[in-house]
Amino acid sequence: MSTESVAAKPAVTPETDAPRDFIRQIVREDLTRGKHHAICTRFPPEPNGYLHIGHAKAICLNFGIAREFSGWCNLRLDDTNPGKEDPEFVEGIKDDVRWLGYEWHDLRHASDYFEVFYRAAIKLIEDGHAYVDDLTADEMRAYRGTLTEPGRNSPSRERSVTENLDLFRRMRAGEFADGSKTLRAKIDMTSGNINMRDPAIYRIRKVTHQNTGDVWPIYPMYDYAHCLSDALEGITHSLCTLEFEDHRPLYDWFVDNVDLPNHPELWQHMRDNGFRTEPAKPRQIEFSRLNLTYSITSKRKLAQLVSEGLVGGWDDPRMNTLRGLRRRGFTPGGIRLLIERLGVSKQNSVIDYAIFENCIREDLDTSAARRMAVVDPLKLVITNLPEGHEETLTFPNHPKDESFGTRHVPFSRELWIEREDFAEVPPKGFHRLKPDGEVRLRGVGIVKCEQVIKDVNGGVIELHCTLDPESRSGMPGADRKVKGTIHWVSAQHGVAAEIRLYDRLFNVPTPDDESDGKTWLEHINPDAKRVVRGWLEPAAADAAPEQRYQFERLGYFVADRVDHRAEAPVFNRTVTLRDTWAKQAA
C-alpha cells in the first residue's frame, strides 16, 4: 500500500460531468447493453461494532450509485457470527446511515436467509460439491498448505453423498460438539488461490443468535452467506473493498453451483410467506478502501480503545467512528465531499488527514453561523467607560450570507479576551495587544493598552485600556487603521462553558507502523483532548445540541449532543480554522 498522501480531486458540481469512475462506467455499460434494467446494490456491515470513517466510503458508494441510476440499495446486517453481535450496534448502524443522508430500500439480515443457506448446502452435498470434515481447526490449517505449497486432501473428502447428508443433518440437529465437524466445499486443494482450497461453508456453534434464538446450532461462513444473500436480493453490483478480490472466484463458485435463479425450491418458501425475493446472478466489483493518516480503522483496535478506557466510548470525539465524528461536529456534507473528491480507484493509498479536515472546514464555512467565545480568558477593562456601562451591538450571523440574519451582542466596560491576544514582550510580527499598543475590538472600536495588572507571581491578570470614541462605528475615525482585530465576550453577560479542545487521536501519520519500537497505543496523542473553562456570548449558549458554530478566530465548534444544556453549555472543537499540523511538520 502506498503511504503517500493523495491530493484531492475537484468537487463534482452541477456544472461538471457526473462522476465517471470505473465502477460507474461498468454500471452505465450494463444499463446501455440491457444487461440490467435497474441497479441494485447493498451495504452489508457486520453488527459487531460501530461504523467508522472507512465504512463511509462504502455507504456513499453503494447508496450513491443506486441513487444516481434510479435504483435502490439494501441495508443488510451480516449477522452470521452470534456472540460478537449486539442489537445496540444494529441501531447504531441504522442511525449512522441515515445521518449520512441515505435511506435503504429494504432492511435485511443474513439470518433472514438461514433456511435457504441450509437447503443450498444440502444441494451442494447432493451434487458432490460439499462434504463434512472431521479435521480440527489446527489440522485444517496444516492440510491447507501455503502460498508456495499445495494443500492436501482431508481424509474425509471422499465420503459418500449419503454419509455427508446424514452427518450434515445431524450437525443441524445439534448432535455434535462445537468445532467437531465442518461442512466444506469440495473445490481444489492444489489451487493457487488458497480461498479455493475446500473452504468451510458451515461450522458448529451452539450460541444463541439475537434474531433466531437457539434454532440453529450451525452457522454459515461469511464467504458463503454473503454471495447467496446478494443473489437472493437481486443485487446487480456487489461492491467490495480490494481485500475481497482474491475471494471473487469463490464468490462466483458458490453463486454458480447453487444457482438460485434456476432452483426455486430453495427459496420459494420465502416468497410464499410474503418475503420479497428476486434471485439473480450478482457481479462482485472491488475498489480501494479509505485509509487516513493519523487514524486506525481496525474494529478490534477501536474496541480495545473503548474496553481499556483510553477513550470515553465508541462516540468519543477522538474516535474516527461515525458516532465519534458526529459528536465532534464533523458534518455529513463534509464526509460526502471527501468521498466525492477522492473518487473511486483500484489502487490502495493513504489519504492525508488534512484533506479530510479541509472538507469539513469547507462545508462548515458555508453552513455554520458565527459567534464569539473566549477559551483562555484574560480580563480587559475599558477605563474611560463608566461603571455599569452596557449597550447592545448588532452583528451579522454570517459574513458571507445575509440570509443568516443578525443577532444582538451585549457589550460592557469589562470584557474577556483571549490571553494569546496580549503579549507583554511581543515577538516580531505580533499585531495584537501590547503595552501602549492599539488593537481594534471586533465591532466596537480601537482600544489602547494603558496598564498591565499582575498577580504576586508576576502573572498578567488584567489589562486596563482606553477606547477611542472617535473609532466607533459611524464616527469620523471609524476607518482609522490598526493592524490587529481581536474578538471579545462581555464579562458581565458572558456565559461560562466547558470547552473541549479535540485533536487527532494519534501523533504520528501511521500509528500501526511499529518500526520505531513503539506499539500503536504508545502513539496516542496526549493532547488529543483538553478541557478548559471558557466564556460565550449569550447567543452561543442558547444553542441546541449538535448546533455548529464558527467561534470567530478560534475554529469550528459544536454543542455536545450528549452533555450540552443551555444552563451548562458544553462545546467540542470540531476543527481549527487552519491546519495547525502542517505548521508543526514544517
Side-chain angles (χ1 to χ4, degrees):
M1 179 186 294
S2 168
T3 57
E4 296 180 0
S5 298
V6 175
K9 298 179 181 179
V12 176
T13 68
E15 291 76 30
T16 64
D17 290 336
R20 301 195 67 84
D21 55 75
F22 76 97
I23 293 180
R24 287 175 170 87
Q25 191 59 39
I26 290 171
V27 170
R28 288 188 184 96
E29 290 173 358
D30 286 347
L31 289 171
T32 300
R33 292 188 291 110
K35 181 178 180 181
H36 303 296
H37 300 294
I39 298 303
C40 307
T41 61
R42 83 289 169 269
F43 173 58
E46 298 176 68
N48 60 356
Y50 286 102
L51 302 181
H52 53 66
I53 184 59
H55 291 109
K57 182 174 183 179
I59 293 171
C60 292
L61 187 59
N62 279 287
F63 283 93
I65 283 179
R67 181 182 292 176
E68 288 168 34
F69 293 95
S70 301
W72 51 258
C73 180
N74 283 349
L75 172 60
R76 182 172 71 239
L77 285 306
D78 172 37
D79 54 350
T80 56
N81 196 14
K84 295 186 177 181
E85 298 157 357
D86 194 306
E88 173 189 342
F89 297 137
V90 172
E91 294 306 311
I93 289 168
K94 290 157 65 176
D95 191 42
D96 287 342
V97 170
R98 285 183 168 131
W99 177 68
L100 277 179
Y102 300 104
E103 188 62 51
W104 48 88
H105 180 261
D106 283 329
L107 176 64
R108 298 290 179 94
H109 305 77
S111 57
D112 295 337
Y113 312 127
F114 277 179
E115 180 63 30
V116 177
F117 299 157
Y118 177 71
R119 294 185 184 193
I122 294 289
K123 177 183 182 298
L124 290 174
I125 294 172
E126 292 174 338
D127 292 345
H129 294 317
Y131 63 97
V132 174
D133 195 6
D134 296 334
L135 293 179
T136 66
D138 288 340
E139 290 171 336
M140 197 178 296
R141 278 190 289 272
Y143 271 73
R144 196 180 188 193
T146 66
L147 291 173
T148 57
E149 296 178 352
R152 293 176 290 148
N153 288 346
S154 166
S156 306
R157 198 174 195 265
E158 299 308 319
R159 278 179 166 147
S160 68
V161 169
T162 300
E163 186 180 3
N164 283 318
L165 287 173
D166 174 64
L167 289 171
F168 186 55
R169 286 178 174 132
R170 290 162 65 191
M171 286 171 61
R172 167 70 179 87
E175 183 175 332
F176 304 114
D178 281 18
S180 61
K181 296 187 185 300
T182 307
L183 182 69
R184 299 176 66 180
K186 184 187 289 189
I187 307 178
D188 181 3
M189 290 300 294
T190 66
S191 173
N193 184 337
I194 289 183
N195 294 297
M196 301 297 284
R197 296 180 186 175
D198 291 10
I201 300 177
Y202 269 94
R203 78 280 202 201
I204 301 173
R205 289 200 68 205
K206 295 178 181 177
V207 178
T208 301
H209 190 280
Q210 60 270 22
N211 286 345
T212 61
D214 296 317
V215 172
W216 293 93
I218 57 173
Y219 291 98
M221 303 300 290
Y222 175 84
D223 278 334
Y224 175 70
H226 175 69
C227 60
L228 296 187
S229 297
D230 283 349
L232 282 164
E233 293 174 20
I235 301 305
T236 58
H237 299 83
S238 179
L239 309 180
C240 305
T241 45
L242 279 178
E243 62 264 33
F244 290 99
E245 189 169 30
D246 289 341
H247 294 247
R248 193 195 322 147
L250 180 58
Y251 182 102
D252 291 337
W253 190 92
F254 281 131
V255 168
D256 291 339
N257 281 280
V258 172
D259 192 16
L260 286 169
N262 292 313
H263 289 275
E265 71 277 8
L266 302 178
W267 47 265
Q268 185 63 46
H269 66 284
M270 298 185 67
R271 187 178 289 179
D272 293 342
N273 291 326
F275 200 95
R276 184 168 58 236
T277 179
E278 295 291 339
K281 182 175 180 178
R283 175 182 179 180
Q284 178 175 303
I285 305 171
E286 305 84 21
F287 61 92
S288 61
R289 57 189 298 168
L290 174 58
N291 300 294
L292 290 170
T293 57
Y294 299 95
S295 300
I296 57 169
T297 53
S298 160
K299 274 190 181 179
R300 178 183 60 82
K301 290 181 178 179
L302 291 171
Q304 185 177 344
L305 289 170
V306 174
S307 65
E308 295 186 8
L310 298 170
V311 294
W314 288 94
D315 68 342
D316 188 299
R318 291 168 290 182
M319 295 275 275
N320 64 1
T321 57
L322 294 185
R323 296 179 78 80
L325 295 172
R326 176 177 180 175
R327 190 170 179 186
R328 184 162 162 180
F330 280 47
T331 61
I335 293 173
R336 293 194 302 267
L337 181 60
L338 173 72
I339 306 303
E340 186 177 84
R341 287 189 168 173
L342 296 177
V344 182
S345 75
K346 280 260 190 185
Q347 181 177 1
N348 271 326
S349 56
V350 180
I351 311 306
D352 192 333
Y353 199 85
I355 294 175
F356 187 18
E357 291 176 321
N358 282 333
C359 288
I360 300 301
R361 290 187 185 99
E362 187 171 334
D363 188 53
L364 286 170
D365 181 53
T366 59
S367 62
R370 273 45 171 179
R371 295 290 185 264
M372 291 196 292
V374 173
V375 301
D376 187 10
L378 174 64
K379 180 70 72 67
L380 183 151
V381 180
I382 302 176
T383 56
N384 62 334
L385 290 179
E387 295 278 354
H389 176 85
E390 286 185 61
E391 59 182 288
T392 300
L393 306 178
T394 300
F395 280 67
N397 284 324
H398 198 296
K400 304 173 186 177
D401 191 340
E402 293 182 356
S403 70
F404 277 68
T406 60
R407 70 188 189 280
H408 297 305
V409 179
F411 170 70
S412 62
R413 183 175 184 265
E414 297 187 1
L415 308 173
W416 295 114
I417 66 168
E418 288 292 341
R419 186 169 296 276
E420 68 174 17
D421 282 338
F422 171 78
E424 191 171 13
V425 182
K428 184 179 180 180
F430 187 80
H431 297 308
R432 286 162 281 171
L433 203 55
K434 56 189 177 182
D436 296 321
E438 290 186 317
V439 72
R440 185 179 298 279
L441 288 180
R442 168 93 162 87
V444 176
I446 298 171
V447 294
K448 181 177 181 179
C449 181
E450 307 282 2
Q451 186 179 6
V452 179
I453 310 299
K454 300 182 179 181
D455 60 21
V456 294
N457 297 316
V460 177
I461 57 174
E462 192 170 289
L463 305 177
H464 287 186
C465 300
T466 54
L467 172 64
D468 177 4
E470 292 296 312
S471 68
R472 303 210 62 183
S473 178
M475 300 300 291
D479 294 330
R480 182 161 71 87
K481 302 297 183 184
V482 291
K483 288 188 175 179
T485 299
I486 64 174
H487 66 282
W488 51 271
V489 170
S490 168
Q492 180 179 338
H493 305 91
V495 179
E498 179 178 317
I499 309 291
R500 299 168 180 172
L501 302 172
Y502 289 105
D503 208 336
R504 301 175 187 181
L505 182 55
F506 296 98
N507 53 21
V508 294
T510 54
D512 279 327
D513 181 4
E514 299 182 353
S515 59
D516 61 356
K518 294 183 178 180
T519 68
W520 68 278
L521 290 174
E522 293 177 285
H523 292 306
I524 291 178
N525 176 14
D527 296 322
K529 178 183 179 181
R530 291 191 298 117
V531 180
V532 300
R533 178 183 172 86
W535 295 91
L536 313 175
E537 63 166 281
D542 289 338
E546 294 198 86
Q547 176 68 52
R548 301 178 184 89
Y549 292 123
Q550 183 194 107
F551 286 172
E552 296 190 22
R553 302 178 62 238
L554 297 179
Y556 293 98
F557 289 74
V558 66
D560 188 84
R561 68 188 300 237
V562 177
D563 299 328
H564 172 81
R565 303 188 309 278
E567 66 275 16
V570 178
F571 275 85
N572 303 327
R573 183 174 66 190
T574 303
V575 66
T576 54
L577 290 180
R578 297 174 186 83
D579 180 8
T580 57
W581 287 75
K583 184 184 297 185
Q584 294 174 23

